[in-house]
Amino acid sequence: MEKEQFEGYKYIEGGVCAAKGFTANGLNCGINPVKEKNDLGMVYSEVPCNTAAVYTKNKVKGAPIIVTQRHLKKSGGISRAVIVNSKNANTCNPNGEEVAEETCRLAAEELGIKPEEVIVASTGVIGMPVYIEPFANYMGELAGGLSVKGNTAAVNAIMTTDTVRKESAVEFLIEGKVCHLGGMAKGSGMIHPDMATTLNFITTDVSVSAEMLQKALSDIVKVTYNCLSVDGDTSTNDMVSVMAGGLAGNSQITSEGESYNIFKQALYIVMLDLVKMLAADGEGASKFIECKCEEAPDTDTAVKAAKSVVSSSLVKCAVFGGDANCGRILCAIGYADIDIDVLKIDVELESSAGKILVCKDGMGLQFSEEDAAKILAQEEIYININLNQGNASARAWGCDLTYDYVKINGDYRS
Amino acid sequence: MEKEQFEGYKYIEGGVCAAKGFTANGLNCGINPVKEKNDLGMVYSEVPCNTAAVYTKNKVKGAPIIVTQRHLKKSGGISRAVIVNSKNANTCNPNGEEVAEETCRLAAEELGIKPEEVIVASTGVIGMPVYIEPFANYMGELAGGLSVKGNTAAVNAIMTTDTVRKESAVEFLIEGKVCHLGGMAKGSGMIHPDMATTLNFITTDVSVSAEMLQKALSDIVKVTYNCLSVDGDTSTNDMVSVMAGGLAGNSQITSEGESYNIFKQALYIVMLDLVKMLAADGEGASKFIECKCEEAPDTDTAVKAAKSVVSSSLVKCAVFGGDANCGRILCAIGYADIDIDVLKIDVELESSAGKILVCKDGMGLQFSEEDAAKILAQEEIYININLNQGNASARAWGCDLTYDYVKINGDYRS
């Protein structure tokens, strides 16, 4: 997929290590029996970072979520490291918090920082026993191997059913200072965000207050991560964290204004880029779907309409089968929790093979099935909805529903 | 599947024709090119019927829904016939209401009743052109062939991707009078009710006021049809109607009391039976799933928890794959919109091969994978949740998510 370009921002390599002062590492500590697959990752900042985070709203929460919230409260929103494992979600385990706390303590000891400065996260199977030994045995090697090239090893450690690495980073200027913001994400199934989704760790060298950092993150989650759905299942372990170390040298951003806007846009670009990667790599996906909803009465309506379409199993199957079934798109808009006049809705299907109007004023149109089939045969499908009843717009992202989704999830644990 | 037995109620044959005074018919009028498949059905009552109905909450509504609502308002809640077609949903068509109205006028003319005494319904593809000719050409033959054995021809006419006929009827006594209540339903995909689902027509010879009829229907929809999910997509054409002709000869039920309770229970039994048939025949389903939620703080919580579990794509895939993945069940309870203490939840898996506790106090248990695999290899799977925080309970129904669901819905229109 081609990256969206934004003036003043340049995509760069490095992921979570793109920003000054950050190093990372990853390795196999034995939680995953496949030795070639990393299962434990670490991100470290040489200076204390103002930190913002959003978490899953699932009432069944992974122990690491509870421990991270406790740590950031105790540290006053300051963090210096992330420790994250895959293959075991450390959720619904009687000793989950104990293991998560001890993991942080071990990491802090190796790094010479406080345990409450450690963000801890886990992803994998829910309700499996969890033991401290793998973490204890490998923490020294993990911390000892931290490097500015360690982002790849770290992102490998958080992948589960992901088939591609999800990293993104940009370079930009604030007050003439060169700034960087980058991140890594994991996630392929159990993706239907409510507040945030999957695991996503972002680092930056911009100097920004904890308050403005949280404000930017909360705003941008709404139009990026919360507009993503793979399968309608909101995970128990979702978390997005942003660590801002401040080594770029700009004067600290403490209020809205030009510098805040530049920073917020950088956060948007990286999170948008990661979200699109997550959608394209949804479990079993053969096609990426973007639904754009325009001329809505307000942003909330646009988000709900677009998200309802990309979440519909029937729309997803139709895209998989290359069936230009506009009725299912209208149906999904119709059951979204929004107040709209359905007799004003236009729907267009678009891809690199062209575009075609399939619905006008809420009514199905006759169109060339041959042209529609060509459009839907591509790997990136765009469903463009015009509600014709306002000025707000939003996008949502997802993927098709395929035989492979069923296969992957019929036999996940083994 | 074995039918649930209830004292005082006997299952009988006859579906919509089981009650005195009702006849039915079905035939192929050419909407469906497969001549062996009926696509037009009719149910007729020799006397005027008090009528109750519930409709889809989808804002994109089929024209027949709008016309039926208009008719029942105009007739003061009295109906004498149902006319229903499959293969075309008559939804999102510019001339949809016009065709639905004309269809009712033609039916009324043949039957010698008023157009506003006709309930009209359609199911099939959304947004396809619809023409009056097939209805006009065959209305005489359809009405002419009405018979007390016509229930099979009628239920055949409403089937779409259904693989089995869904009919149910019971016999029972009110004031010593022999009463009957029966119905037919269609539906396989696009099933995630909000208010009602699919098409479902019920007839009875009990004498009951329109008000008490609507009250009974609205109450029972909540614990039957609204607890059913095949794929999370709420259809545009859902409707449940109940016609009560009164020929059983009981004194009219006009308030709550013993007779009302007997009648309401009959309605529950038939709707429950139909709902379980719908779940077992969900598109592509290889397994029926019932989730029972007990000891909830209130019924609404129990319904939402149970429905969230049967709606989860990941739970459905796990059941398909025979994977006793209790984490996904807990996850689905956790993202339901309910206020509960997750640390009190127990989860048990059950089938004809036995039962096994997989979660206690919100924590995953170690269990015999071999025993669990045997249990999940059966065709009827029961997920028993105990919230241990109240006295309310509810059940929800669904099916597994399979390769065939994707296949059927990747190529539905053609």
Side-chain angles (χ1 to χ4, degrees):
Chain A
M1 194 180 314
E2 275 190 37
K3 285 181 187 292
E4 286 186 48
Q5 298 300 321
F6 297 87
E7 201 183 327
Y9 297 85
K10 188 175 74 177
Y11 289 101
I12 56 173
E13 297 296 310
V16 287
C17 295
K20 281 185 217 117
F22 290 92
T23 51
N25 193 20
L27 50 70
N28 179 293
C29 71
I31 305 174
N32 194 325
V34 180
K35 289 289 164 207
E36 296 71 36
K37 170 71 183 73
N38 290 350
D39 56 20
L40 188 62
M42 182 182 268
V43 180
Y44 171 70
S45 168
E46 63 184 62
V47 293
C49 293
N50 286 333
T51 305
V54 288
Y55 308 93
T56 183
K57 282 187 179 162
N58 196 314
K59 281 165 288 290
V60 176
K61 284 184 173 48
I65 295 277
I66 295 160
V67 169
T68 297
Q69 287 175 318
R70 188 186 298 152
H71 282 186
L72 289 178
K73 193 170 174 192
K74 188 171 175 192
S75 72
I78 299 294
S79 72
R80 287 195 62 181
V82 173
I83 180 85
V84 54
N85 74 279
S86 55
K87 199 69 181 173
N88 187 322
N90 189 10
T91 301
C92 304
N93 300 304
N95 65 339
E97 288 188 40
E98 191 186 317
V99 170
E101 284 285 9
E102 179 62 9
T103 302
C104 291
R105 199 194 62 74
L106 290 166
E109 192 173 76
E110 290 293 339
L111 297 168
I113 63 176
K114 297 177 192 157
E116 63 265 28
E117 290 173 334
V118 180
I119 292 168
V120 58
S122 298
T123 179
V125 180
I126 300 167
M128 295 271 284
V130 61
Y131 307 100
I132 193 64
E133 287 72 16
F135 299 94
N137 294 343
Y138 285 86
M139 199 61 80
E141 184 180 334
L142 186 69
L146 285 166
S147 87
V148 294
K149 302 261 184 207
N151 56 295
T152 305
V155 75
N156 278 344
I158 64 173
M159 291 166 75
T160 50
T161 52
D162 306 64
T163 65
V164 297
R165 287 198 297 271
K166 285 121 188 160
E167 293 186 284
S168 182
V170 289
E171 188 178 289
F172 52 100
L173 294 175
I174 293 181
E175 300 170 346
K177 310 284 187 187
V178 180
C179 298
H180 309 86
L181 185 144
M184 65 179 183
K186 67 79 50 178
S188 195
M190 205 179 269
I191 296 185
H192 186 77
D194 187 11
M195 175 89 176
T197 190
T198 74
L199 294 180
N200 183 17
F201 305 102
I202 293 170
T203 57
T204 182
D205 41 27
V206 171
S207 177
V208 51
S209 72
E211 187 194 352
M212 296 313 288
L213 191 59
Q214 185 68 48
K215 181 173 163 49
L217 176 61
S218 297
D219 281 357
I220 287 174
V221 158
K222 283 183 205 153
V223 294
T224 55
Y225 275 62
N226 280 2
C227 293
L228 169 69
S229 183
V230 167
D231 54 12
D233 280 278
T234 302
S235 156
T236 52
N237 288 50
D238 292 349
M239 180 199 292
V240 177
S241 68
V242 189
M243 300 167 70
L247 294 182
N250 64 299
S251 9
Q252 189 173 64
I253 298 168
T254 55
S255 61
E256 294 195 49
E258 194 190 334
S259 295
Y260 175 76
N261 290 341
I262 296 171
F263 165 72
K264 187 177 172 183
Q265 179 73 353
L267 187 61
Y268 172 70
I269 294 169
V270 166
M271 287 178 69
L272 175 69
D273 200 29
L274 289 170
V275 159
K276 291 169 82 172
M277 290 183 206
L278 288 163
D281 193 34
E283 279 177 345
S286 73
K287 294 175 189 172
F288 164 86
I289 305 174
E290 174 175 300
C291 179
K292 182 166 64 181
C293 179
E294 297 190 300
E295 300 194 22
D298 51 69
T299 304
D300 186 52
T301 300
V303 165
K304 284 181 176 169
K307 193 167 175 184
S308 189
V309 171
V310 298
S311 302
S312 159
S313 292
L314 289 169
V315 170
K316 291 154 65 75
C317 283
V319 170
F320 171 60
D323 178 14
N325 199 319
C326 72
R328 292 183 183 168
I329 296 167
L330 286 170
C331 178
I333 299 169
Y335 62 69
D337 180 25
I338 53 177
D339 185 19
I340 51 161
D341 179 354
V342 297
L343 296 178
K344 291 184 173 176
I345 304 173
D346 300 339
V347 180
E348 182 186 70
L349 301 175
E350 182 180 0
S351 75
S352 57
K355 56 186 175 183
I356 196 163
L357 194 68
V358 293
C359 167
K360 177 81 187 158
D361 300 329
M363 301 295 162
L365 296 176
Q366 295 307 293
F367 51 83
S368 158
E369 292 283 348
E370 197 184 340
D371 289 352
K374 270 183 206 156
I375 288 167
L376 292 178
Q378 308 306 310
E379 286 185 1
E380 294 173 25
I381 307 299
Y382 297 83
I383 300 172
N384 304 324
I385 297 165
N386 194 322
L387 296 183
N388 289 301
Q389 47 203 293
N391 298 307
S393 65
R395 290 188 285 172
W397 299 272
C399 58
D400 57 349
L401 176 57
T402 69
Y403 301 131
D404 282 349
Y405 177 85
V406 178
K407 185 172 182 191
I408 291 165
N409 287 299
D411 190 27
Y412 172 55
R413 291 189 313 160
S414 40
Chain B
M1 193 181 313
E2 275 190 38
K3 285 183 187 293
E4 288 186 48
Q5 298 301 323
F6 298 86
E7 201 183 326
Y9 296 85
K10 188 175 73 177
Y11 289 101
I12 55 173
E13 297 298 308
V16 288
C17 295
K20 281 184 219 114
F22 289 92
T23 51
N25 194 20
L27 50 70
N28 179 290
C29 71
I31 305 173
N32 193 327
V34 180
K35 288 290 164 202
E36 296 70 37
K37 169 72 183 75
N38 289 351
D39 55 19
L40 188 62
M42 182 181 269
V43 180
Y44 171 71
S45 167
E46 60 184 64
V47 292
C49 293
N50 286 333
T51 306
V54 289
Y55 308 93
T56 183
K57 283 187 178 160
N58 196 315
K59 279 165 288 293
V60 176
K61 284 184 173 48
I65 295 277
I66 295 160
V67 170
T68 297
Q69 287 175 317
R70 189 187 297 151
H71 283 186
L72 290 177
K73 195 171 173 190
K74 190 171 173 192
S75 72
I78 300 293
S79 71
R80 288 195 61 182
V82 173
I83 180 85
V84 53
N85 74 280
S86 55
K87 198 69 182 176
N88 188 322
N90 189 10
T91 301
C92 304
N93 300 305
N95 65 338
E97 288 187 40
E98 192 185 315
V99 170
E101 284 285 9
E102 179 62 8
T103 301
C104 292
R105 199 194 61 73
L106 290 165
E109 194 173 76
E110 291 292 342
L111 297 168
I113 61 175
K114 297 177 192 157
E116 62 266 28
E117 291 174 332
V118 181
I119 291 168
V120 58
S122 297
T123 178
V125 179
I126 301 167
M128 296 271 281
V130 61
Y131 306 100
I132 192 64
E133 287 73 15
F135 299 94
N137 294 343
Y138 285 87
M139 198 61 80
E141 184 180 334
L142 185 68
L146 285 166
S147 88
V148 294
K149 302 261 184 204
N151 56 295
T152 306
V155 73
N156 278 345
I158 63 173
M159 292 168 73
T160 49
T161 52
D162 305 63
T163 65
V164 297
R165 289 198 296 271
K166 285 119 186 162
E167 293 186 283
S168 181
V170 290
E171 188 178 289
F172 51 100
L173 294 175
I174 293 181
E175 300 170 348
K177 309 283 185 188
V178 180
C179 298
H180 308 86
L181 186 144
M184 63 179 184
K186 66 80 50 179
S188 195
M190 203 179 271
I191 296 186
H192 186 76
D194 188 9
M195 174 89 176
T197 189
T198 74
L199 294 180
N200 183 17
F201 306 102
I202 292 170
T203 58
T204 182
D205 40 27
V206 171
S207 177
V208 51
S209 71
E211 189 195 351
M212 296 313 289
L213 191 59
Q214 185 68 49
K215 182 174 160 50
L217 176 61
S218 297
D219 282 357
I220 287 173
V221 158
K222 283 183 203 151
V223 294
T224 55
Y225 276 61
N226 280 2
C227 294
L228 169 69
S229 184
V230 167
D231 54 11
D233 280 277
T234 302
S235 156
T236 52
N237 288 50
D238 292 348
M239 180 199 293
V240 177
S241 68
V242 188
M243 298 166 71
L247 294 182
N250 64 301
S251 5
Q252 189 173 65
I253 299 168
T254 55
S255 61
E256 295 193 51
E258 193 189 337
S259 296
Y260 175 76
N261 290 340
I262 296 171
F263 166 72
K264 187 176 171 183
Q265 178 74 352
L267 188 60
Y268 172 70
I269 293 168
V270 166
M271 289 179 68
L272 175 69
D273 200 30
L274 290 169
V275 158
K276 290 170 83 174
M277 290 182 204
L278 288 163
D281 193 34
E283 279 177 343
S286 74
K287 293 175 190 174
F288 164 87
I289 305 175
E290 173 175 301
C291 179
K292 182 166 64 184
C293 178
E294 296 190 300
E295 300 194 22
D298 53 68
T299 304
D300 186 53
T301 300
V303 165
K304 284 181 176 169
K307 194 167 173 184
S308 189
V309 171
V310 297
S311 301
S312 159
S313 292
L314 289 169
V315 170
K316 290 152 67 73
C317 283
V319 170
F320 171 62
D323 178 15
N325 198 318
C326 72
R328 292 183 183 169
I329 296 168
L330 286 170
C331 177
I333 299 169
Y335 62 68
D337 180 25
I338 52 177
D339 186 18
I340 50 161
D341 180 354
V342 298
L343 295 179
K344 291 184 173 175
I345 303 172
D346 300 339
V347 180
E348 182 185 70
L349 301 176
E350 182 180 1
S351 76
S352 58
K355 55 187 177 181
I356 196 164
L357 194 69
V358 292
C359 168
K360 178 80 188 158
D361 299 331
M363 300 295 162
L365 295 177
Q366 295 309 291
F367 51 83
S368 157
E369 292 284 348
E370 198 183 340
D371 290 350
K374 271 182 207 158
I375 289 167
L376 292 178
Q378 309 306 309
E379 285 185 4
E380 295 174 25
I381 308 299
Y382 297 83
I383 300 171
N384 303 324
I385 298 165
N386 194 324
L387 296 183
N388 290 302
Q389 48 203 293
N391 298 307
S393 65
R395 290 188 286 172
W397 299 273
C399 58
D400 57 348
L401 175 56
T402 69
Y403 300 132
D404 281 348
Y405 177 84
V406 177
K407 186 170 182 197
I408 291 166
N409 287 298
D411 191 26
Y412 172 55
R413 292 187 313 159
S414 40

